[in-house]
Amino acid sequence: MRASNHLTGLLNFLSFLLSIPILGGGIWLSSRANNTDCLKFLQWPLIIIGVSIMVVSLAGFAGACYRNTFLMRLYLFAMFFVIAALLGFIIFAYVVTDKGSGRALVNRGYQDYYLEDYSGWLERRVASNSYWGKISSCIRDSKICNKLRRNFNGAPESADMFYQRKISSIQSGCCKPPTECDFVYGNETFWSPGGGTVSANPDCTRWSNDQEQLCYACDSCKAGVLAGVKKSWRRVSVINIVVLIILVILYVVAYAAFRNNKRIDNDEPYGEARMTKAQPSHFQL
């Protein structure tokens, strides 16, 4: 009869241990003196998630182990909203990342990214001037474009070698000009205007060989970020679906433990019939 209580207590103890590194990571981000704006943006969700899991897990653990009906009722109430919020986030993530992808190029291992291929809330959020300043600052501070550079026997890689590389969406959109600009390759982050037809793409004039500027102000950079966010959110959504299934199972087990606690509080033997006859039978064996 108490197996559901023991199982609920064990599962919540494990989830409590999981909340410790999550909460610690959020506190570490908030305490760093050289935080960038994007890291500051990430700290509070980590802290809130860690604290929520910790509090809910403690309530479920105490309620199951000590057969406290009030704590179990509180745990079930909180867990219901956690499950509903997680389900809502999964649906939201798939909706806002429904559109947009990279465009394949002839004789190129990477893809180009265009802002007009994306739409909806996420595109407006990332492309807004106020928010883009924080994101571009984060990309610049991460030195992700410097990581593109390769040397072979002391010499930089050739254009043909670079063209066949598979690079991330952010590196493609932010660290080089769009391919249609027809710039001449110098190295991974240094490109010169070619002598061909000038493209109407405004990113061609936004490109700068200044290593602090590059294409951070380009629409292609914003599109590359959107592509990276889409890929990350889709991966996270798969994990969240697995977590959601586990939480639903935990909720069912916890509800059984809650029913068990109520039986004990009411001194009800397990399996006792709740209905009795209004009048006893006249026939007795």
Side-chain angles (χ1 to χ4, degrees):
M1 183 172 64
R2 298 179 180 177
S4 59
N5 289 62
H6 295 159
L7 182 58
T8 302
L10 176 61
L11 292 177
N12 281 283
F13 178 72
L14 294 177
S15 63
F16 172 80
L17 294 179
L18 179 63
S19 69
I20 295 176
I22 296 176
L23 180 60
I27 296 174
W28 176 76
L29 287 176
S30 65
S31 63
R32 288 188 61 186
N34 60 344
N35 266 343
T36 59
D37 286 334
C38 63
L39 290 178
K40 290 180 180 179
F41 172 74
L42 292 174
Q43 75 184 29
W44 287 112
L46 283 175
I47 293 176
I48 292 172
I49 290 172
V51 171
S52 299
I53 295 176
M54 183 175 290
V55 173
V56 172
S57 298
L58 283 175
F61 179 78
C65 293
Y66 295 100
R67 300 195 302 273
N68 188 302
T69 304
F70 171 76
L71 286 178
M72 287 301 298
R73 184 181 288 111
L74 179 64
Y75 170 80
L76 290 172
F77 182 78
M79 184 61 73
F80 174 81
F81 283 100
V82 170
I83 292 174
L86 186 58
L87 178 61
F89 175 79
I90 292 172
I91 296 174
F92 174 77
Y94 273 97
V95 170
V96 300
T97 59
D98 180 55
K99 295 182 179 180
S101 61
R103 297 185 186 180
L105 302 168
V106 178
N107 297 325
R108 296 292 189 273
Y110 50 79
Q111 296 179 321
D112 274 358
Y113 298 86
Y114 294 84
L115 190 59
E116 58 265 27
D117 293 342
Y118 298 83
S119 63
W121 175 87
L122 189 61
E123 183 272 334
R124 293 190 296 270
R125 174 75 168 172
V126 171
S128 64
N129 292 331
S130 59
Y131 198 65
W132 179 247
K134 300 177 181 180
I135 299 176
S136 60
S137 174
C138 175
I139 297 172
R140 186 181 296 107
D141 292 342
S142 70
K143 307 296 182 182
I144 190 171
C145 292
N146 291 340
K147 299 175 182 177
L148 271 177
R149 298 174 182 172
R150 290 181 179 178
N151 290 320
F152 296 91
N153 298 323
E157 66 179 338
S158 65
D160 291 337
M161 294 174 64
F162 177 76
Y163 293 154
Q164 299 307 314
R165 284 176 59 180
K166 294 184 181 299
I167 59 179
S168 70
S169 60
I170 294 179
Q171 289 175 324
S172 177
C174 305
C175 305
K176 68 170 187 61
T179 303
E180 69 176 276
C181 296
D182 197 26
F183 278 25
V184 178
Y185 174 88
N187 62 39
E188 295 86 352
T189 57
F190 189 94
W191 300 71
S192 302
T197 304
V198 179
S199 172
N201 190 334
D203 284 349
C204 297
T205 59
R206 292 171 181 156
W207 167 261
S208 172
N209 284 319
D210 183 346
Q211 298 302 295
E212 292 298 318
Q213 300 298 324
L214 298 180
C215 219
Y216 297 135
C218 297
D219 287 343
S220 64
C221 189
K222 299 175 182 178
V225 170
L226 287 169
V229 171
K230 177 179 179 178
K231 184 177 181 179
S232 299
W233 278 28
R234 288 297 175 93
R235 289 179 177 178
V236 170
S237 293
V238 173
I239 298 175
N240 284 339
I241 291 173
V242 176
V243 173
L244 179 65
I245 295 173
I246 295 174
L247 288 180
V248 170
I249 295 174
L250 179 58
Y251 188 86
V252 173
V253 175
Y255 181 75
F258 174 72
R259 294 285 301 274
N260 180 44
N261 290 345
K262 290 188 66 176
R263 291 193 196 96
I264 295 175
D265 292 341
N266 297 331
D267 295 325
E268 296 179 10
Y270 185 78
E272 177 180 312
R274 293 181 178 272
M275 297 182 62
T276 58
K277 294 181 180 179
Q279 296 181 353
S281 174
H282 295 290
F283 299 96
Q284 298 183 3
L285 297 178

